[in-house]
Amino acid sequence: MADMIEIRGLNKYFGDLHVLKNINLTVKAGEKVVVIGPSGSGKSTLIRCVDWLEEPTTGEIIIDGQLVTKKNHLEMARKYSSMVFQQFNLYPNMTVLGNLTLAPIKLQKKSKEEANAAAMAALKRVGLAQKAGEYPQNLSGGQQQRVAIARAMCTKQPIILFDEPTSALDPEMIQEVLDVMIELAQENITMICVTHEMNFAKQVADRVLFMDDGQILEEGTPEHFFTNPQNPRCKDFLNKILH
Amino acid sequence: MLEGLFDPRRWEITMAEMGSLWEGFGFTLQVVVAGLLLSLVLGTILGVFSTTRSRVLGIISRIYVEFFQNTPLPVQVFFYYMAGPRVLQMITGAESPVRISAFAIGALGVGLYHAAYVSEVIRTGIESVPRGQMEAALSQGFTRVQSYAYIILPQTFKVILPPLCNQALNLVKNTSVLALIAGGDLMYNADNFVSTYGYLQGYIMACVLYFIICFPLAMLVQWLERRSKRRPRAKNIPGITPEPAKEA
């Protein structure tokens, strides 16, 4: 498989704070990568750098063989990646359908009919076709996040980045969102998912990364990762979170 | 002292002599429209300035707002009235000070003054939109300008409309400052009316006429406030949403 995302020597500072320390990571096309780690470890910043929501201080992000730069990052985002946020970030002044069709119509220049059809197909997949005319604030958190995932599907980019997609949800709504993500993982989409949902990681991930203090300290297949972790901090973290 | 208030003859005369008051009313309305236009355009520009990432634009906006909010409007208007003609003389190189019409001074006076307040309304409106909205837009590949146009600014309307209308209302009342410089506005004409026909009827009628403009605006503010608090109802999209009766 070809490399979809290549991160080389990535450093990110917030002022004096060194958040990402010389990260090197390659993700193949279609690969599902789950990133775990304590809060403040830099995992969100890492995927935000991939989408250029944070500009890398030094280092390179290469997507599909092309270097992402200050100049082309919007074009790259348009073409390659979409993001699902912890707080959903649906556009509250638009209906569910409007949320899903805005970018396809305005950026990808699709016709309204075409965009609507694609949006309805995506909504059916997340089980919310009947909510097309509803406004986000009238939906539950779980429903909003499913809409946000459908919005990411609509633009048909090969990469979807998930930034703690279930962390803001009530416990009973987490599974419905995970189910949608698991179903989506059947496709040949490259997924990087920052999450604390270990069962999701076991079920879906091709590779799990453990981050702490701005570094990737451990990586491997879920089997290796959950049964035989080597790094002491990773062992410690898994102990805390699994028991 | 107040017996004149119920004197039917006085009211008869008042009603017969309302012409000058209506004239002032018309003039005030013109100043309101021009001043409002100026304050909205300038205020929006300054408000957007203060939320961009540019420090220079932010500082320009800040200085403007603080200056106009912290000096009295009558002083500002007197200043335009006295200094304006000489400044224009300097700029144009005319031989004598350039006369500025009361209309121009009025529109400029309330326009510049309220632009500072409008700017603050626009700024708080934009700042009320969560950061995540811009991030969602950028992550989809919208440029900053597109994000403002399609996503951020439309979300501010609900928040800013009531305070904007409030500014319009204050602007109407503040045009009465023109009376200080012989402006020909409603207040000025009411003053003249009063000196001929007595103060009771004159000022009462002036109040009534200001009320005619302001009260609908106040009602509009209340309606907009109520509307902004309402939850949006699901929209019917023909061919896509289920029939309303089947709503689950």
Side-chain angles (χ1 to χ4, degrees), chain A residues 176-190:
Chain A
E176 64 184 63
V177 171
L178 291 180
D179 287 343
V180 166
M181 289 167 64
I182 291 166
E183 200 255 335
L184 187 62
Q186 310 301 316
E187 279 187 35
N188 190 31
I189 294 173
T190 309

Side-chain angles (χ1 to χ4, degrees), chain A residues 20 51 53-55 74 80 102 108-109 111-112 134 179 199 202 209 232-233 242:
Chain A
L20 293 177
D51 215 21
L53 285 177
E54 304 291 353
E55 193 181 331
L74 285 172
Y80 285 102
L102 184 71
Q108 303 177 334
K109 306 292 173 201
S111 71
K112 205 175 158 195
E134 196 54 89
D179 287 343
N199 284 326
K202 282 180 193 165
L209 309 180
R233 269 192 278 178
L242 295 174

Side-chain angles (χ1 to χ4, degrees), chain A residues 32-158:
Chain A
K32 324 291 179 226
V33 175
V34 167
V35 186
I36 65 170
S39 49
S41 59
K43 51 197 193 312
S44 283
T45 309
L46 174 64
I47 64 168
R48 286 165 62 85
C49 279
V50 174
D51 215 21
W52 211 261
L53 285 177
E54 304 291 353
E55 193 181 331
T57 310
T58 61
E60 291 177 338
I61 310 276
I62 295 150
I63 293 179
D64 198 20
Q66 297 161 67
L67 183 68
V68 185
T69 63
K70 204 168 187 157
K71 258 191 173 159
N72 74 359
H73 73 273
L74 285 172
E75 194 190 321
M76 293 297 285
R78 215 171 295 156
K79 224 164 136 189
Y80 285 102
S81 65
S82 44
M83 183 108 157
V84 175
F85 298 88
Q86 186 176 357
Q87 300 294 342
F88 331 131
N89 294 350
L90 294 176
Y91 307 134
N93 54 326
M94 298 172 205
T95 61
V96 165
L97 190 73
N99 267 277
L100 268 58
T101 54
L102 184 71
I105 291 173
K106 299 286 186 194
L107 292 179
Q108 303 177 334
K109 306 292 173 201
K110 298 247 173 72
S111 71
K112 205 175 158 195
E113 290 69 30
E114 204 182 340
N116 280 352
M120 289 314 290
L123 281 178
K124 272 204 190 86
R125 282 187 64 186
V126 303
L128 290 170
Q130 78 282 10
K131 298 288 188 191
E134 196 54 89
Y135 283 87
Q137 65 179 106
N138 297 334
L139 301 178
S140 73
Q143 290 173 331
Q144 288 190 49
Q145 194 61 297
R146 281 149 68 196
V147 170
I149 294 171
R151 178 171 73 177
M153 286 156 60
C154 268
T155 37
K156 302 249 184 281
Q157 289 123 325

Side-chain angles (χ1 to χ4, degrees), chain B residues 109-131:
Chain B
V110 292
L112 293 179
Y113 181 77
H114 283 279
Y117 290 89
V118 170
S119 160
E120 289 294 87
V121 170
I122 302 279
R123 180 178 64 80
T124 46
I126 292 174
E127 282 173 358
S128 76
V129 177
R131 245 180 73 123

Side-chain angles (χ1 to χ4, degrees), chain A residues 31-34 36 197-209 218-229 234 238 242:
Chain A
E31 197 180 6
K32 324 291 179 226
V33 175
V34 167
I36 65 170
E197 298 297 329
M198 296 303 146
N199 284 326
F200 173 77
K202 282 180 193 165
Q203 215 175 325
V204 168
D206 297 312
R207 187 154 45 126
V208 183
L209 309 180
E218 177 108 29
E219 64 177 298
T221 60
E223 298 84 54
H224 157 83
F225 200 89
F226 290 107
T227 54
N228 191 23
C234 182
L238 287 174
L242 295 174

